[in-house]
């Protein structure tokens, strides 16, 4: 491809709202453009990267024997009503009516469609033992699309669904997908951890997330330094089986109000009153869609919203809005406390640790005021205690007691062992070998194709631009033709053509631009191998061949550069495949799926 003819609208400056590296660099490199919130166009470079991720996913899915299909993304309400998710999925499901007034949705995922497809065809156990996948645009009306294509509303997903006759075969299908996912992530050059995960709106009882580890991730992973324990923090219990706490002196009546002007946060209150964060009780006002609740945690702890939702028996809980907090507590945000709140909220719940607190500081439900020397008895209401806090660095591993640490991750993919939850609801049954009717055992497996492109950049960039892993890179070799001389132009053309003949994807920068501009753009675009073809080099009989990550930088005779560049690309690919094989060999042990 000749740069002078390519549509690569690079930018020096990006919109202020782009803060994450992948978002900034995808825009600056002319790879994507936003049409509307969470909805993007993929330009030639961006689309090539997307297609590369899709190619690797396809190769690895096909390798497991899974078969590619394409299902409709416009889905009738009836199948969602059958599964119970028309009401259960929430506002992320974008619904509309067609011209006949019938209800439809745009597919956020395809369990219903695929179950409907399969139930019409399956009669006997002999037909089972297959996996169907598709690569397709999904739509989820995300409340907060963020970071460009990392969390879009419209995005491309690979979703696969396995169908087996019994639990044992289904477990093997599940393991096969875990291995395939390990190969996919590794081939794409991504550092990842497979962690146990909540099954969320999809359902089922066994699930792993494939988390691309990066400080910019929004998920928190809890990892044991001693054993293989690895879970999403949402799932991590804070208290092992033997954990107890000595209840604090509950007798109240000693509390008094103190003036704490402008002290909203735990840090501000602790420095204002000269107490530690452990001496402060934090009151979090929550909303579950129907009711408000107050949740109490120690000042140095964070509330885990998933555990809280489970305790309350609701699908999701949210932090109450500022307006609600003001109305319920009668005070600005930052001054909520449990005393006197019981009539304003449906329930007051607290983390187990709170039971051990006494003589603490909490909000007074009056702006700029706190209470001190408070005891649980002062709350004047029943408080339900449960494991509600987030696990954090310094906690013990719930499995082996060893030290744990946390890391941030971007969820690149998730596997679910569904069992029969969909097949029972939707009547996808078959006759087993004994002639008995049984529900099909299912699994489902998603990978965010477009998200992985962004995740690859989060892990692979520097201050000058993208550093594409070889399998994702839109082009593998970038030929920079420097100067206006005819010889350099002819030589650059020859190298470009020969590399293409070798089957490589090559971008030839033949633009009439200064060398500085070309180097600047080459760093920004991040193509793995670079060849510099300038008059000076040609005169000296040595051209520069370099990798974008700086690991290789050589001056070699012009006649050798094609062979050398092709050699580097194939070494990088081989290395990606080799590591993929290695990680695939250990992933089932790593996840504890096999001993
Ligand atoms: P998240 O927790 O990030 O919202 P999810 O758990 O709801 O994701 P799944 O239903 O597990 O997502 O979907 C499978 C994969 O699709 C995810 O692992 C992720 O890579 C991708 N994905 C999900 N939502 C989005 C989105 N809004 N934008 C881009 N990719 C997404
Ligand atoms: Mg998920």
């Amino acid at each position: 491809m000749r740069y002078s003819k390519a549509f690569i609208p690079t930018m020096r400056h990006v919109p202020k709202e782009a803060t994450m590296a992948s978002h900034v660099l995808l825009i600056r490199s002319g790879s994507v453009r936003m049409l509307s919130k969470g909805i993007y166009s993929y330009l030639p470079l961006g689309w090539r990267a997307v297609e590369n991720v899709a190619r690797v996913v396809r190769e690895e899915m096909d390798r497991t024997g899974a078969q590619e299909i394409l299902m409709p993304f416009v889905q009738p309400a009836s199948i969602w009503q059958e599964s119970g998710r028309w009401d259960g999925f929430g506002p992320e499901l974008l619904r509309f009516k067609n011209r006949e007034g019938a209800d439809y949705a745009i597919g956020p995922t395809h369990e219903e469609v695929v179950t409907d497809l399969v139930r019409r065809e399956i009669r006997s156990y002999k037909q089972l033992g297959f996996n169907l996948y598709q690569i397709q645009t999904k739509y989820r009306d995300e409340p907060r699309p963020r970071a460009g294509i990392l969390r879009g509303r419209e995005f491309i997903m690979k979703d696969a669904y396995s169908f087996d006759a019994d639990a044992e075969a289904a477990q093997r299908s599940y393991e096969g997908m875990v291995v395939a996912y390990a190969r996919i992530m590794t081939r794409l050059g991504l550092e990842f951890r497979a962690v146990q995960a909540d099954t969320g709106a999809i359902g089922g009882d066994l699930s792993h997330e494939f988390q691309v580890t990066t400080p910019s991730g929004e998920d928190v992973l809890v990892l044991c330094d001693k054993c293989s324990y690895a879970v999403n923090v949402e799932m991590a219990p804070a208290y092992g089986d033997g954990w107890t706490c000595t209840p604090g002196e509950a007798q109240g009546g000693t509390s008094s109000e103190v003036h704490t002007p402008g002290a909203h946060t735990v840090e501000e209150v602790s420095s204002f009153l000269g107490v530690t964060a452990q001496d402060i009780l934090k009151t979090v006002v929550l909303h579950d869609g129907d009711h408000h609740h107050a949740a109490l945690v120690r000042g140095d702890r964070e509330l885990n919203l998933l555990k809280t939702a489970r305790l309350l028996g609701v699908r999701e809980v949210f932090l109450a809005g500022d307006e609600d907090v003001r109305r319920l507590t009668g005070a600005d945000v930052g001054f909520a406390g449990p005393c006197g709140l019981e009539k304003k909220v449906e329930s007051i719940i607290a983390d187990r640790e709170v039971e051990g607190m006494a003589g603490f500081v909490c909000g007074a439900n009056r702006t700029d005021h706190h209470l001190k020397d408070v005891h649980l008895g002062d709350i004047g209401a029943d408080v339900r205690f449960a494991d509600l806090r987030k696990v954090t660095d310094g906690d013990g591993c719930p499995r082996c007691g060893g030290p744990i640490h946390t890391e941030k991750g971007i969820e690149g993919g998730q596997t679910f062992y569904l069992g029969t939850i969909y097949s029972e609801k939707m009547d996808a049954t078959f006759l087993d070998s004994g002639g008995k009717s049984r529900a099909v055992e299912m699994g489902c497996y998603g990978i965010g194709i477009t998200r992985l492109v962004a995740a690859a950049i989060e892990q692979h960039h520097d201050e000058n631009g993208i550093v594409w892993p070889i399998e994702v890179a839109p082009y593998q070799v970038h030929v920079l033709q420097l100067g206006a001389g005819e010889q350099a132009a002819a030589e650059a053309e020859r190298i470009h053509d020969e590399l293409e003949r070798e089957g490589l994807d090559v971008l030839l920068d033949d633009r009439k631009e200064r060398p500085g501009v070309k180097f600047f753009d080459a760093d920004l675009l991040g193509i793995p191998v670079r060849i510099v073809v300038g008059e000076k080099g040609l005169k000296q009989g040595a051209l520069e061949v370099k990798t974008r990550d700086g690991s290789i930088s050589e001056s070699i005779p012009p006649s050798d550069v094609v062979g050398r560049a092709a050699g580097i690309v194939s070494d990088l690919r081989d290395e990606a495949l080799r590591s993929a094989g290695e990680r695939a060999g250990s992933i089932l042990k790593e996840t504890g799926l096999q001993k």
Side-chain angles (χ1 to χ4, degrees), residues 38 42 89 108-109 111 138 140 142 145-146 148-159 181 198-202 207-211 218-219 232 234 410-416 445-452:
Y42 295 86
F89 204 89
T109 177
E111 285 77 20
K138 298 279 188 270
R140 292 183 182 179
E142 297 271 353
R146 75 186 262 280
I149 62 170
L150 211 44
R151 178 176 299 287
R153 283 185 170 150
E154 186 179 295
F155 59 96
I156 300 175
M157 196 204 284
K158 184 284 302 177
D159 45 328
Y181 276 32
D198 178 52
T199 52
I202 307 281
S207 180
H208 288 87
E209 285 167 353
F210 289 72
Q211 293 276 357
E218 50 173 1
D219 286 349
N232 189 310
E234 288 184 329
I410 295 170
E411 182 194 320
Q414 188 168 4
T415 51
F416 300 83
Y445 318 93
I447 281 191
I449 303 279
T450 42
R451 179 180 284 183
L452 283 185

Side-chain angles (χ1 to χ4, degrees), residues 481 485-497 533 535 538:
Q481 168 198 328
E486 265 173 37
Q487 201 197 352
E491 191 60 6
E493 289 270 330
R494 176 190 68 82
I495 291 168
H496 167 269
D497 293 353
V533 187
E535 302 290 341
L538 286 172

Side-chain angles (χ1 to χ4, degrees), residues 546-565:
K546 235 178 128 170
T547 51
R548 174 64 179 85
D549 67 4
S551 61
I552 298 175
S553 174
E554 299 168 351
S555 279
I556 54 178
S559 55
D560 295 348
V561 293
V562 168
R564 181 62 184 132

Side-chain angles (χ1 to χ4, degrees), residues 492-520:
E493 289 270 330
R494 176 190 68 82
I495 291 168
H496 167 269
D497 293 353
E498 281 184 23
L499 283 168
E500 278 200 339
R501 246 175 275 135
E502 296 270 328
L504 298 181
D505 296 325
V506 193
L507 182 65
L508 166 59
D509 194 348
D510 58 343
R511 294 174 302 166
K512 295 193 176 24
E513 292 285 0
R514 283 179 292 110
V517 171
K518 295 195 176 186
F519 284 117
F520 184 89

